């Protein structure tokens, strides 16, 4: 990779007093300014300068801060005190967070500086970062194309080298798919591994915060800080993080299963990248077999029938009375109705309506309960697969970055972009998208990601494997050429 220092080396340089948190912040802001056309950032943190100075004092006092002075950008659905948190929605356009999410607080406690908030699909509903009230984010590799979504801003800032790492959130693929389309790593942790406290809820049983980065060691660095038990999230697990980037030795004897159902319908570049990844794993001493997860063909349907009902319930709180924007009306009902009509975009309204419908009496059994049964069986199939393999592999997305506007008027085509990622959230498993190749489309190189899925609580294995692949020299993480 060129054009950017690793997060790990930046921290080391700060601790060795070779640079200062304020200098790193200034450089990051300059890169953000130079890449402003990507529209990857929604807002800057007005307190970043003060944070950098505070870290400087802590470093001077000898505190061995694990993220000393590291500039980090977080998705705009993660609350940070005194910053705007819009979730890409008009309904929260003037909302300023009165508190900080646990994951963000852990970054700050460890010495990171939160530079700003990354653009996203409205309320994290989407796969292209086109539905944001702040306008679309462009893919740094080809600005006519989408960066993926919904954490498209987080993927774009890392791909453009604005910051070495970012946080996104992943409900059905929103960290992994944009990571794949932008040529960076994206990790969706085991459900419960990273606190959801302070993450604006989309579908609470599926949501997880996860890091995006260029290097396995940087994923490890971040996860060792943000993962861990949080009493403020009832679904938080008590599993102390022990992440490290592995070496090729970690690949020897690894039992890899390729999911058969993910082999069809991929572009040629995706297919050849999957093949070369498997070849690399075999050459390092891993064994590869095919594994079937038959319920995968129902995963998209089940996912949307679970995510939309949860969203319809979670988004009921945005009525103009407590948070953000309020439209005046003759009475409270008129005001709430107008606020929601004008505040929410089309896709969010569609999902609230479908979600409410799927939960309504008479339809609940036909839709929501059936989706929950598929969810159970899917989790059982994954558990059975992990009896015979250590890790499962699929493409992260069946295709590289698509053109802006290509799917935005066809919701079902947009939902289908998540075919390889949603099952992981339904089963609560950890999965990592690794940038493993490119497909040249009309003369432009577009990145391709391969997804590694591990058993619950084996997130560490994923980061070790990716370190191993880096050691083999086959990981294709680099800053997009126009920004290198
Ligand atoms: N694209 C999926 C959706 O729209 C996943 C989004 C996400 O993971 N937040 O629901």
């Amino acid at each position: 990779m060129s054009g950017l220092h690793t997060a790990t080396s930046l921290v080391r340089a700060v601790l060795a007093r070779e640079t200062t948190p304020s200098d790193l912040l200034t450089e990051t802001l300059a890169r953000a300014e130079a890449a402003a056309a990507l529209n990857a950032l929604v807002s800057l943190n007005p307190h970043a300068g003060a944070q950098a100075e505070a870290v400087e004092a802590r470093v001077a006092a000898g505190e061995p801060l694990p993220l000393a002075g590291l500039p980090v950008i977080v998705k705009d659905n993660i609350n940070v005190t005194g910053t705007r948190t819009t979730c890409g929605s008009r309904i929260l356009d003037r909302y300023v967070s009165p508190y900080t999410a646990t994951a963000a607080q852990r970054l700050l406690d460890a010495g990171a500086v939160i530079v700003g908030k990354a653009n996203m699909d409205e309320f994290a509903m989407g796969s292209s970062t086109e539905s944001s009230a702040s306008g679309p984010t462009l893919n740094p590799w080809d600005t006519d194309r989408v960066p993926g979504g919904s954490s498209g801003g987080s993927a774009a800032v890392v791909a453009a080298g604005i910051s070495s790492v970012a946080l996104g959130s992943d409900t059905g693929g929103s960290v992994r798919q944009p990571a794949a389309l932008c040529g960076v790593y994206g990790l969706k942790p085991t459900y419960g591994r990273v606190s959801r406290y302070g993450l604006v809820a989309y579908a609470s049983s599926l949501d997880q915060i996860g890091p995006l980065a260029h290097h396995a060691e940087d994923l490890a660095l971040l996860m060792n800080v943000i993962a861990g038990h949080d009493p403020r999230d009832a679904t938080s697990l008590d599993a102390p993080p022990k992440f490290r980037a592995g070496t090729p030795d970690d690949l020897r004897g690894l039992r890899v299963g390729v999911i058969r159902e993910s082999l069809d319908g991929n572009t040629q570049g995706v297919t050849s990248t999957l093949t070369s990844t498997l070849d690399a794993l075999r050459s390092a001493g891993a064994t590869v077999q095919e594994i079937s997860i038959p319920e995968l063909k129902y995963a998209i349907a089940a996912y949307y029938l679970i995510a939309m009902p949860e969203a319809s319930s979670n988004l009921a709180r945005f009525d103009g009375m407590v948070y953000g924007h309020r439209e005046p009306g003759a009475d409270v009902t008129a005001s709430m109705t107008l606020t929601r009509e004008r505040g929410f975009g089309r896709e969010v309204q569609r999902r609230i309506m479908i979600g409410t419908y799927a939960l309504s009496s008479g339809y609940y059994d036909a839709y929501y309960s059936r989706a929950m049964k598929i969810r159970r069986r899917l989790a059982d199939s994954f558990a059975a697969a992990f009896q015979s393999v250590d890790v499962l592999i699929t493409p992260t997305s069946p295709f590289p970055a698509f053109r802006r506007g290509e799917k935005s008027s066809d919701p079902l085509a947009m939902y289908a972009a998540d075919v390889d990622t949603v099952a992981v959230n339904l089963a609560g498993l950890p999965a990592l998208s690794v940038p493993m190749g490119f497909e040249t489309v009309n003369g432009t190189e577009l990145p391709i990601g391969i997804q590694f899925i591990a058993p619950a609580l084996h997130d560490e294995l994923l980061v070790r494997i990716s370190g191993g692949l880096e050691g083999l020299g086959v990981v294709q993480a680099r800053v997009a050429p126009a920004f290198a």
Side-chain angles (χ1 to χ4, degrees):
M1 189 203 95
S2 63
L4 186 73
H5 298 287
T6 69
T8 309
S9 67
L10 291 176
V11 170
R12 215 176 285 135
V14 169
L15 291 175
R17 319 285 172 87
E18 290 158 15
T19 183
T20 67
S22 300
D23 285 347
L24 292 184
L25 174 62
T26 305
E27 290 159 22
T28 305
L29 291 172
R31 286 192 296 267
E33 181 66 39
L38 294 175
N39 197 30
L41 283 153
V42 179
S43 62
L44 296 175
N45 176 6
H47 308 290
Q51 282 170 10
E53 281 169 25
V55 173
E56 222 158 303
R58 291 169 71 188
V59 170
E63 270 194 68
L65 298 169
L67 301 184
L70 181 70
V72 182
I73 291 165
V74 304
K75 188 175 180 177
D76 202 28
N77 57 356
I78 298 174
N79 283 286
V80 179
T81 303
T83 70
R84 289 171 62 211
T85 300
T86 72
C87 296
S89 183
R90 241 193 331 262
I91 210 162
L92 289 176
D93 60 357
R94 281 186 291 274
Y95 181 73
V96 176
S97 301
Y99 76 118
T100 299
T102 298
Q105 190 59 53
R106 287 183 185 226
L107 292 177
L108 294 171
D109 292 346
V113 173
I114 295 179
V115 179
K117 310 294 280 294
N119 204 1
M120 57 185 282
D121 277 302
E122 187 177 7
F123 283 105
M125 298 172 185
S127 307
S128 66
T129 316
E130 291 172 288
S131 71
S132 170
S134 299
T137 294
L138 316 186
N139 189 314
W141 290 83
D142 178 349
T143 51
D144 290 335
R145 294 177 186 268
V146 305
S150 64
S151 311
S154 304
V157 294
V158 177
I162 296 171
S163 61
S164 56
V165 288
L167 292 188
S169 69
D170 190 313
T171 304
S174 278
V175 165
R176 291 161 286 157
Q177 185 257 15
L181 272 45
C182 288
V184 302
Y185 282 109
L187 175 65
K188 197 291 271 186
T190 300
Y191 184 76
R193 209 79 210 264
V194 177
S195 171
R196 290 183 296 107
Y197 178 77
L199 167 70
V200 179
Y202 160 15
S204 311
S205 77
L206 303 160
D207 299 340
Q208 270 295 289
I209 291 174
L212 297 98
H214 284 285
H215 294 275
E217 65 173 1
D218 291 352
L219 288 176
L221 181 74
L222 247 71
M223 285 302 289
N224 283 333
V225 168
I226 65 171
H229 183 248
D230 179 12
R232 287 194 275 205
D233 171 358
T235 61
S236 172
L237 299 173
D238 193 2
K242 294 194 180 85
F243 286 85
R244 66 170 175 86
T247 66
D249 274 351
D250 288 287
L251 304 176
R252 196 173 309 135
L254 188 74
R255 297 170 305 161
V256 177
V258 195
I259 299 185
R260 184 176 306 142
E261 288 76 10
S262 75
L263 297 177
D264 291 334
N266 301 314
T267 63
Q268 210 198 320
V270 169
T271 300
S272 62
T273 302
L274 185 61
T275 305
S276 62
T277 303
L278 296 174
D279 288 345
L281 287 164
R282 278 195 208 92
S283 74
T287 59
V288 178
Q289 66 184 94
E290 261 190 34
I291 293 275
S292 174
I293 308 275
E295 294 82 6
L296 273 182
K297 55 178 173 295
Y298 307 119
I300 291 265
Y303 167 77
Y304 280 97
L305 282 171
I306 290 169
M308 292 188 193
E310 290 192 27
S312 74
S313 162
N314 274 326
L315 269 56
R317 66 180 63 123
F318 302 108
D319 56 11
M321 298 300 125
V322 184
Y323 310 102
H325 185 76
R326 178 189 300 171
E327 293 283 342
D331 55 24
V332 84
T333 310
S335 166
M336 285 184 181
T337 307
L338 258 190
T339 298
R340 288 169 68 81
E341 229 171 72
R342 294 192 184 152
F344 289 137
R346 283 174 66 92
E347 182 60 26
V348 173
Q349 294 195 18
R350 175 184 294 120
R351 293 189 186 204
I352 290 172
M353 286 189 280
I354 297 176
T356 306
Y357 180 83
L359 286 178
S360 56
S361 106
Y363 296 102
Y364 185 99
D365 286 338
Y367 296 116
Y368 187 72
S369 311
R370 275 174 84 193
M372 289 300 276
K373 284 179 189 151
I374 291 167
R375 183 177 196 173
R376 175 77 262 155
R377 288 183 50 177
L378 192 57
D380 289 347
S381 282
F382 273 114
F386 286 125
Q387 297 293 319
S388 46
V389 296
D390 303 309
V391 68
L392 289 164
I393 290 197
T394 74
T396 308
S397 159
F399 34 72
F402 46 94
R403 286 184 180 284
R404 224 174 14 268
E406 195 178 313
K407 299 182 194 290
S408 44
S409 54
D410 183 351
L412 290 179
M414 192 70 87
Y415 302 167
D418 305 325
V419 62
D420 294 311
T421 49
V422 294
V424 165
N425 302 72
L426 288 170
L429 304 174
L432 173 65
S433 180
V434 182
M436 289 298 299
F438 294 97
E439 178 159 346
T440 305
V441 181
N442 304 331
T444 306
E445 271 194 321
L446 301 175
I448 288 171
I450 298 296
Q451 173 175 246
F452 291 73
I453 309 167
L457 291 175
H458 289 254
D459 314 48
E460 277 87 342
L461 173 65
L462 299 172
V463 176
R464 281 206 305 279
I465 291 173
S466 59
L469 292 168
E470 270 179 37
L472 294 178
V474 293
V475 174
Q476 304 294 327
R478 65 180 84 128
V479 171
F483 300 88

